[in-house]
């Protein structure tokens, strides 16, 4: 296969995954492969060459979502401000779980679920989050009586997928997302430290 052919094949695969992700989130995984082909702008044969079974495509979409979320968390956990790290961490995970709610059962049934599960669990055990909390304690913005490990578990628990999914599919309403971040930060902030204006709830 020539370089151009390989590039076309890669682009076709990406288009199929992007189309499947949109359709799955809109209608669930019961959509027909022909619908996927039409949305992706490729032939039905191209879909089956890349993904012989629907479960293969579900796994690919799941891997795409996991990779995207991991990249977003990497960017958040690289931030210097510990308050912003905690806030954005909760936001990223809550948004991911809310948006993928329609796929939850199918993702758990996917052949690649164990790999997916391992990656998702690693988000909750993220040592960089604990280091950010320790940094906040040392700087006096977080309470000095906090146990960093317990605080990490508390912050991670705020974005628990079962909690987020209980609200319903789709993005969390802004009021709930801001309120969730507000509650987490107020539990961690040291006495006298104000919630940053950019992170404070702004009403409904």
């Amino acid at each position: 296969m020539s370089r151009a052919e390989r590039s076309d094949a890669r682009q076709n695969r990406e288009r199929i995954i992007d189309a499947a992700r949109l359709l799955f989130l809109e209608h669930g995984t019961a959509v027909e492969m022909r619908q996927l082909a039409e949305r992706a702008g490729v032939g039905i044969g191209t879909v089956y060459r890349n993904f012989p079974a629907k479960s293969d495509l579900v796994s690919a979409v799941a891997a795409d979502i996991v990779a995207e979320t991991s990249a977003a968390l990497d960017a958040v956990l690289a931030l210097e401000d510990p308050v912003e790290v905690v806030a954005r961490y909760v936001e990223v995970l809550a948004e991911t779980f809310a948006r993928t709610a329609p796929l939850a059962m199918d993702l758990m049934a996917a052949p690649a679920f164990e790999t997916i599960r391992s990656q998702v669990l690693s988000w909750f055990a993220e040592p960089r989050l604990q280091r950010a909390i320790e940094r906040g304690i040392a700087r006096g913005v977080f309470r000095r009586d906090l146990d960093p490990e317990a605080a990490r578990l508390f912050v991670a628990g705020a974005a628990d997928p079962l909690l987020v999914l209980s609200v319903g599919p789709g993005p969390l309403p802004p009021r709930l997302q801001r309120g969730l971040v507000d509650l987490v930060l107020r539990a961690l902030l040291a006495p006298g430290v104000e919630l940053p204006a950019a992170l404070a709830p702004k009403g409904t």
Side-chain angles (χ1 to χ4, degrees):
M1 185 182 291
S2 70
R3 181 178 297 177
E5 289 173 326
R6 287 197 298 272
S7 177
D8 286 344
R10 184 172 60 253
Q11 289 175 5
N12 283 340
R13 180 181 175 85
E14 290 172 356
R15 279 199 291 267
I16 294 167
I17 292 174
D18 288 344
R21 183 170 172 174
L22 291 173
L23 283 173
F24 288 170
L25 292 175
E26 290 170 6
H27 308 292
T29 59
V31 296
E32 297 181 358
M33 293 296 240
R34 190 167 299 281
Q35 289 176 273
L36 292 169
E38 291 173 358
R39 176 70 71 94
V42 300
I44 187 68
T46 300
V47 174
Y48 280 112
R49 276 196 301 275
N50 282 277
F51 304 101
K54 177 74 71 64
S55 60
D56 298 323
L57 190 48
V58 172
S59 293
V61 168
D64 193 56
I65 293 170
V66 166
E68 183 181 278
T69 302
S70 292
L73 286 175
D74 283 341
V76 164
L77 292 164
L79 295 171
E80 182 58 27
D81 181 358
V83 176
E84 189 172 7
V85 168
V86 169
R88 304 306 177 204
Y89 170 91
V90 173
E91 288 176 352
V92 167
L93 288 188
E95 188 73 9
T96 292
F97 295 135
R99 286 190 178 279
T100 56
L103 291 178
M105 297 305 295
D106 292 300
L107 295 183
M108 287 189 284
F113 177 67
E114 282 308 309
T115 301
I116 297 167
R117 178 176 178 275
S118 176
Q119 182 64 60
V120 171
L121 288 177
S122 76
W123 298 339
F124 291 97
E126 180 53 68
R128 290 173 294 176
L129 175 61
Q130 186 164 325
R131 288 198 292 271
I133 293 170
E134 291 168 350
R135 196 161 64 246
I137 295 171
R139 293 180 183 179
V141 294
F142 290 156
R143 290 167 32 203
R144 294 196 178 278
D145 62 342
L146 285 177
D147 178 313
E149 186 175 8
R152 174 184 61 77
L153 291 172
F154 169 72
V155 174
D160 185 291
L162 292 179
L163 171 67
V164 175
L165 297 182
S166 70
V167 178
L172 279 181
R175 173 183 60 81
L176 287 182
Q177 189 174 95
R178 288 193 299 265
L180 186 60
V181 170
D182 174 69
L183 287 172
V184 170
L185 290 180
R186 289 187 188 281
L188 302 186
L189 289 175
V193 175
E194 293 293 329
L195 193 68
L199 302 176
K202 299 177 179 63
T204 57

